[in-house]
Amino acid sequence: MNRAATPTPGALPDHDEPAGGVTAVTRALQLLEAFGMHDQRLSLAELTRRSGMHKTTALRLLRTLAHSGYVVQRDDGEWRLGPAAGWLGARYQAAFDVNNVVEPMLRELTQATGESAAFYVREGSIRTCLMRVEGPQPIRHHARMGSALPLDKGSPGRVILAFSGEPGALYEEIRQRGYHFSIGEREKGVATVSAPVFGLNWRLLGSVCISGPADRLPKNKLLRHARTIIKAANQLSYALAGSSTPQTPKVVSAWHP
């Protein structure tokens, strides 16, 4: 159990009302989000601390979530995520055909580059790591699946913004060359290179990237990997979107050195 975890970002005190939202639903989601990737179970006290709620409020919401199977109370009184939470995540991943298409592509990309590979999708004003395959290197960059990250920091988000039509010289350059790389933009010492992935009707689906320590991935090496990234992104786009149509973006099947 990670007792040192910080409270959930954006946690609402019991008296606050989110604009345009339902307080009880927001607080219930904060309790679910309080569970980290390595938390098999959490005590009520820890859930209360991480969510910033009063004990009675948290307990009432946990019991409500338990009725629908999103959390389960253990015999020792601690709480763990329930089967409904896992099923919800599985359905979310299934919408992107992760197991059949995305994950094999990421594994091939990892083998080709020797670095970790990830697939990001846009969720409103953030990007989410939907799937990740770790590279073989003993020292590598770790990005948690499900992490909510900014769109305007790091190459995966910049690519998503560019092919979503974001104005500006930088984004026009990304659209022209079909990829983007960054070194230390979101996280010090981390380098990434990314390309866009398109889905049904050739609408932007997300971005695929590789990442690793900046001292192992200097600019010249990122540029060499860019061709491999574009090839993988294009193959994934054709697998998800089908054959070319008038709506097919120019970046697909094109290389812009």
Side-chain angles (χ1 to χ4, degrees), residues 8-249:
T8 303
L12 292 175
D14 280 353
H15 60 275
D16 283 356
E17 178 78 28
V22 178
T23 304
V25 175
T26 301
R27 291 175 182 161
L29 292 173
Q30 287 173 354
L31 287 171
L32 294 176
E33 291 168 356
F35 286 89
M37 288 293 290
H38 302 292
D39 294 323
Q40 295 183 358
R41 59 187 183 274
L42 292 175
S43 66
L44 176 61
E46 181 64 11
L47 285 165
T48 298
R49 187 186 74 81
R50 293 188 186 185
S51 65
M53 297 179 199
H54 292 304
K55 181 178 178 180
T56 53
T57 301
L59 183 58
R60 183 175 68 251
L61 291 171
L62 285 167
R63 287 172 174 168
T64 301
L65 289 168
H67 281 306
S68 298
Y70 285 94
V71 294
V72 174
Q73 188 172 25
R74 292 160 42 92
D75 291 339
D76 60 7
E78 294 193 327
W79 296 84
R80 64 173 176 82
L81 290 175
W87 178 234
L88 193 64
R91 281 179 287 181
Y92 176 70
Q93 288 190 332
F96 293 93
D97 202 11
V98 171
N99 292 329
N100 294 329
V101 181
V102 178
E103 185 176 5
M105 180 276 296
L106 293 180
R107 294 196 180 280
E108 291 178 5
L109 192 54
T110 295
Q111 292 173 1
T113 63
E115 302 294 343
S116 298
F119 179 58
Y120 288 88
V121 296
R122 184 172 188 167
E123 298 287 358
S125 60
I126 62 171
R127 58 181 165 101
T128 298
C129 181
L130 183 69
M131 174 59 66
R132 181 175 177 83
V133 173
E134 298 293 349
Q137 303 282 0
I139 300 176
R140 54 184 183 260
H141 170 236
H142 295 274
R144 191 175 67 181
M145 283 199 300
S147 296
L149 302 173
L151 283 167
D152 61 350
K153 294 288 188 298
S155 70
R158 296 282 193 187
V159 163
I160 290 174
L161 284 174
F163 288 91
S164 296
E166 188 76 10
L170 171 63
Y171 297 109
E172 184 57 35
E173 289 176 7
I174 296 173
R175 285 188 285 269
Q176 288 296 319
R177 64 175 175 256
Y179 73 93
H180 186 54
F181 73 87
S182 64
I183 300 176
E185 184 178 15
R186 186 188 68 82
E187 188 175 347
K188 185 178 180 180
V190 174
T192 64
V193 57
S194 309
V197 174
F198 300 90
L200 188 64
N201 298 322
W202 292 101
R203 293 183 179 180
L204 180 70
L205 185 59
S207 64
V208 61
C209 84
I210 61 166
S211 62
D215 57 358
R216 196 170 66 228
L217 290 173
K219 179 179 177 180
N220 62 335
K221 194 168 184 178
L222 289 172
L223 291 176
R224 290 199 302 270
H225 282 319
R227 184 188 296 269
T228 305
I229 301 298
I230 283 189
K231 180 180 178 181
N234 291 351
Q235 289 175 340
L236 182 57
S237 294
Y238 279 111
L240 296 173
S243 59
S244 298
T245 72
Q247 289 73 42
T248 304

